[in-house]
Every structure is written in structure tokens, then in C-alpha cells.
Amino acid sequence: MAKNLKKRSVFENKSQKTQNLQFRLYFNKKYQSKDLHKWFESKVRIKKNFKILDVGCGTGKQSVYFKKKINNSGQLFSFDKSIKSIIQLKKKIGSRNSKIFSADMNEIEKINKKFFESEKFDLISSVYSIYYAKRPLKIIKFLLSKLNKNGKLLLLVPIRPNKITQIAEKFYKVPSKVTESLVIFKKIINYFAKQKYNIRTKYFRSKIRVTNVEDVIKFYKSTTFFKKRYEKKVSEFIKKKFKTKSFIFKKDSCLIILKNEN
Ligand SMILES: C[S@@+](CC[C@H](N)C(=O)[O-])C[C@H]1O[C@@H](n2cnc3c(N)ncnc32)[C@H](O)[C@@H]1O
């Protein structure tokens, strides 16, 4: 009985994560001044015969776009830790010239052995997910070894904690992965620059102007740093801040492009 309950709560937790991701995508689309995903798409060049790997694909914001671009010519491999998101993505794009599976990127070598040992990729993409890795640099190095000549690894990462993070930080310690993303990625960028690797960075800023305070609170509840224990205090603070009928914060991202010239 207790075992069953435990199983159910793990499943609910996974399902909740997918719902949170869906809400964050909806929230950004509704309130952002510029569309981050459209911007990202404008920076990626995809040929029909490309072999593409999407790391931390979620419900497929990028994978669906990649699949449309390669149509039935290239090949797409996408994976995410969340089984629920993978089920949703499979429904969206099917299995024709694509392998969609659930896996933990911290085990990238094992994943490689199981799913794509004999493959090399023209494009490897990881949007808003590589910073969840325990050791991002180790994974990035491995992914670079999986690129074809002139293949590119694209990493889109948040680079500054937003206003909601700062509010939460007034009440408790937000994980350093969220608050120190810029520091972590500056180190990674410097590392590859020192190795004389072909590395480029592009920056994106959009303003989020929210007109409904309940959506700001829902957004806080959908973040990875949400803590039920502080929900009331953080929500009250947000409501107090929301005097001017809108809540504005900036969303800063950096696209890191690593090209394999060997
Ligand atoms: C912010 S979402 C981004 C998803 C998608 N790329 C997008 O832009 O919509 C981050 C994703 O990383 C996934 N993730 C987190 N840790 C992971 C891990 N260790 N291995 C694989 N995926 C992971 C989460 O499940 C989630 O789907």
C-alpha cells in the first residue's frame, strides 16, 4: 500500500514538472516582448539531411521545429529525463526518422552507447537545459566529440536571475544553478576560448510585462526553485509589488555556438 502511494507521488511529481514547463512556455509566449524561440530558430541553419541531437528536449519546443526542417530526409535524436514530456513529444512527431527517449544527461556516455554510438551529428542543441547537469563542462566536451566536421553545438542558457528569483531569494536560498548561471557559463566560454575552439556567443533580451498578478504567482509556482513552505510569503510580496497594474522583468539569455572544425 505504502509502496503504491510512493509510486503515485513520484508519477505525480513527473507529471507536475511537465505541466510546469508547459505553463512557463505559455507565460513567456503571452507576456514577452520578443519571442526567444523564434530568435533561436533564426540563428540555426538546418539542412534537410542533417543528423540532429536535442538534449533536454522537454515537450519538444525545438524538436518539433527540427523535425519539420529535416522532414523525412535527416534524422532526429531527442531525449529528456521526464518520461511524461517524452510521451507528449512522441505523440507530436512520431517515430519516422526520429528516436525520442527518456534518459538522464548526466549519464551521457551510457546514453551514447545505447542509442547513438555509431552516429555523428551535424547539430546538437540544448535549450534551457544543460545547466541542470551536475557537470555541464564534462557533458559539453563529450557532445563536442559527437559532432561531424563543421557540426555545431548550440547551448541556449539563461544568464541572469530574473525578478522572481530575486524575490524568492529574500525568503530563502535559491540553488546556485539558477542564480549563478552567468558565472558558470562565463567559465565555460573562457575555457573553450583558451583552447582556441571556434566559439561564438549571441545575447538575447526580452521584457516580460505581466498584466495579471495571478499569472506572476503561477509562474513562481512553476519554477524549479518554488518552495511550498514559502508560497504564502512570496505570493504576498509579489502582490504588494504589483501596484502599478503590471509587473515587468527582463529575461536575458545567451546562445553559445561551438563549431567543430576538425
Ligand atoms: C526548461 S526545460 C527546456 C525544455 C525544452 N528544451 C524547451 O526549450 O522547451 C528543461 C528540460 O531539461 C530537462 N532535464 C533536466 N535535467 C535533466 C537531465 N539530467 N537529463 C535530461 N533532461 C533533463 C527537464 O526535464 C526539462 O524538460
Side-chain angles (χ1 to χ4, degrees), residues 98-115:
S98 56
K99 247 189 201 168
I100 318 288
F101 53 92
S102 137
D104 182 341
M105 68 172 122
N106 293 310
E107 301 188 336
I108 191 69
E109 274 119 344
K110 278 190 199 156
I111 298 172
N112 177 54
K113 273 213 172 97
K114 192 167 171 195
F115 296 97

Side-chain angles (χ1 to χ4, degrees), residues 172-226:
Y172 58 90
K173 175 97 188 78
V174 171
S176 59
K177 266 182 197 165
V178 179
T179 54
E180 286 164 23
S181 183
L182 177 63
V183 181
I184 296 167
F185 283 96
K186 273 224 163 116
K187 273 190 194 155
I188 289 176
I189 293 165
N190 286 342
Y191 172 84
F192 286 105
K194 270 195 190 147
Q195 308 283 312
K196 306 247 179 299
Y197 213 93
N198 183 328
I199 181 164
R200 281 186 301 144
T201 46
K202 292 175 189 290
Y203 293 89
F204 177 89
R205 166 171 284 182
S206 87
K207 260 191 197 161
I208 313 272
R209 188 173 180 275
V210 195
T211 47
N212 176 348
V213 68
E214 291 308 323
D215 272 358
V216 183
I217 293 164
K218 267 196 216 163
F219 179 75
Y220 165 62
K221 286 166 79 175
S222 78
T223 62
T224 50
F225 54 86
F226 167 66

Side-chain angles (χ1 to χ4, degrees), residues 29-195:
K29 199 165 180 204
K30 184 168 178 192
Y31 295 115
Q32 70 199 349
S33 60
K34 282 186 265 168
D35 189 325
L36 176 67
H37 295 286
K38 288 241 153 55
W39 176 83
F40 172 76
E41 286 168 12
S42 75
K43 303 292 170 214
V44 200
R45 270 191 205 106
I46 301 170
K47 289 188 186 154
K48 273 202 165 154
N49 61 350
F50 264 20
K51 272 194 185 157
I52 302 176
L53 171 64
D54 188 355
V55 178
C57 58
T59 50
K61 192 77 197 164
Q62 296 76 41
S63 282
V64 170
Y65 175 75
F66 296 151
K67 184 73 200 307
K68 210 163 77 189
K69 284 283 176 185
I70 58 172
N71 199 9
N72 291 324
S73 309
Q75 237 185 324
L76 174 67
F77 293 75
S78 305
F79 73 88
D80 196 283
K81 202 173 161 186
S82 156
I83 300 168
K84 190 89 196 300
S85 296
I86 288 301
I87 294 170
Q88 284 196 19
L89 180 55
K90 274 189 179 169
K91 279 188 199 150
K92 286 183 198 165
I93 59 180
S95 58
R96 197 167 171 191
N97 55 351
S98 56
K99 247 189 201 168
I100 318 288
F101 53 92
S102 137
D104 182 341
M105 68 172 122
N106 293 310
E107 301 188 336
I108 191 69
E109 274 119 344
K110 278 190 199 156
I111 298 172
N112 177 54
K113 273 213 172 97
K114 192 167 171 195
F115 296 97
F116 41 71
E117 188 156 37
S118 57
E119 308 285 351
K120 288 266 178 170
F121 298 98
D122 304 294
L123 171 68
I124 301 178
S125 159
S126 183
V127 171
Y128 266 67
S129 27
I130 196 75
Y131 53 95
Y132 288 112
K134 284 185 194 140
R135 295 171 63 194
L137 185 58
K138 182 177 169 247
I139 297 180
I140 294 168
K141 282 186 193 167
F142 187 83
L143 293 175
L144 287 173
S145 75
K146 295 296 294 179
L147 285 175
N148 274 326
K149 188 170 185 324
N150 292 322
K152 283 179 187 165
L153 170 62
L154 266 60
L155 306 166
L156 185 60
V157 295
I159 52 166
R160 237 175 291 278
N162 64 35
K163 217 176 193 171
I164 304 292
T165 323
Q166 286 159 3
I167 293 175
E169 282 241 289
K170 289 186 189 298
F171 299 96
Y172 58 90
K173 175 97 188 78
V174 171
S176 59
K177 266 182 197 165
V178 179
T179 54
E180 286 164 23
S181 183
L182 177 63
V183 181
I184 296 167
F185 283 96
K186 273 224 163 116
K187 273 190 194 155
I188 289 176
I189 293 165
N190 286 342
Y191 172 84
F192 286 105
K194 270 195 190 147
Q195 308 283 312

